[in-house]
Amino acid sequence: MKPIRAVAATLVAGVAVLLAPTSPAWAHVTVSPSVATTGGHGTFAFKVPDERADANTTRVEVVFPENAQLTSVSLRPVPGWKATVTTRQLPNAASAGPDDEAANKAVTGIVWEGGAIKPGEFQVFEVSLGPLPTTPGQLVFKALQTYSNGEVVRWIDIPEAGAPRPEHPAPVIDVKPADAQANAPAAATPIPTPTPTGDSVARLLGWAGLALGALALLTAAATGLRRRTPAPASAPLAEAETAARLSP
């Protein structure tokens, strides 16, 4: 009985470990693609997840880098959200001509508000912008995320090569020449660790139940066999029966 009980306990413990809740993997405000070509234009998506269990995200502000003069910006409408673009006058605005008002100003930031990102959800804000700088480098887009409870999370930390990932990293775009991107070695794609879904957990419980049921049947069968097996006759009684059969 002890070995059977030990196996059953091991199965139950294994199921409990698999079903135990794990710590959530916190997400960050990110931008993709994270690599762009110098001097070109591109469409970039800012992904904003809601990381609070009791508050909605009601306002998102993306601050444009000061080292870039991004004059051409267009937005994809997001239902329920109102977007406001802020700009600054360029120092060489006169040379651009008074008729080209857009070329005289660089975008300094975009604010989305009026909508709501609920707990456990995310929203993507798409922006087409350019022209990108002709010199390779990084474009850091600092982001401010405001929750319905008044909390403001500042995604403004600049990641540094070789340093640990900061707690609140800012979205970053690496601007590189086209030939550098073409010759860059392909990065190895990490194999994601599968997370048990509702269906897999149900199947796991089903197999565990079948295993425990089979163990129970084996235990009952072993118990029944022990009850039905007659006890062997004692030595004196066996000798008396043998003597009686051999006597004349």
Side-chain angles (χ1 to χ4, degrees):
M1 289 295 292
K2 289 184 178 180
I4 294 177
R5 290 178 181 174
V7 172
T10 302
L11 286 174
V12 173
V15 173
V17 170
L18 289 175
L19 297 181
T22 57
S23 300
W26 297 112
H28 305 299
V29 174
T30 57
V31 61
S32 71
S34 59
V35 179
T37 304
T38 53
H41 289 69
T43 299
F44 303 90
F46 292 90
K47 180 180 178 181
V48 182
D50 188 280
E51 298 181 340
R52 299 295 179 264
D54 55 354
N56 297 336
T57 297
T58 57
R59 187 177 188 272
V60 176
E61 179 179 0
V62 174
V63 180
F64 278 44
E66 296 182 358
N67 63 333
Q69 297 180 358
L70 303 173
T71 58
S72 175
V73 174
S74 59
L75 312 177
R76 180 185 293 274
V78 180
W81 293 82
K82 176 185 177 182
T84 302
V85 179
T86 57
T87 60
R88 62 180 173 87
Q89 195 75 17
L90 294 177
N92 56 347
S95 62
D99 296 334
D100 193 354
E101 188 68 21
N104 294 336
K105 296 180 179 179
V107 176
T108 58
I110 305 174
V111 175
W112 288 272
E113 54 190 344
I117 307 174
K118 298 179 181 180
E121 299 180 352
F122 68 87
Q123 181 63 58
V124 175
F125 302 94
E126 290 184 271
V127 180
S128 176
L129 53 85
L132 299 176
T134 56
T135 303
Q138 284 190 332
L139 297 180
V140 179
F141 294 83
K142 297 182 179 181
L144 306 178
Q145 181 178 9
T146 303
Y147 286 92
S148 55
N149 59 5
E151 179 187 7
V152 179
V153 180
R154 295 171 172 81
W155 304 96
I156 62 175
D157 298 335
I158 301 177
E160 297 181 3
R165 184 181 181 89
E167 184 177 359
H168 296 94
V172 176
I173 297 176
D174 289 321
V175 181
K176 300 179 180 180
D179 55 351
Q181 297 182 49
N183 298 329
T189 303
I191 300 176
T193 302
T195 302
T197 61
D199 291 340
S200 61
V201 170
R203 288 194 294 268
L204 178 63
L205 289 175
W207 284 112
L210 290 175
L212 292 176
L215 286 174
L217 290 175
L218 289 175
T219 303
T223 303
L225 287 175
R226 283 198 296 270
R227 290 177 178 175
R228 290 194 296 269
T229 302
S234 61
L237 179 59
E239 292 176 359
E241 293 178 350
T242 302
R245 287 197 300 270
L246 294 177
S247 62

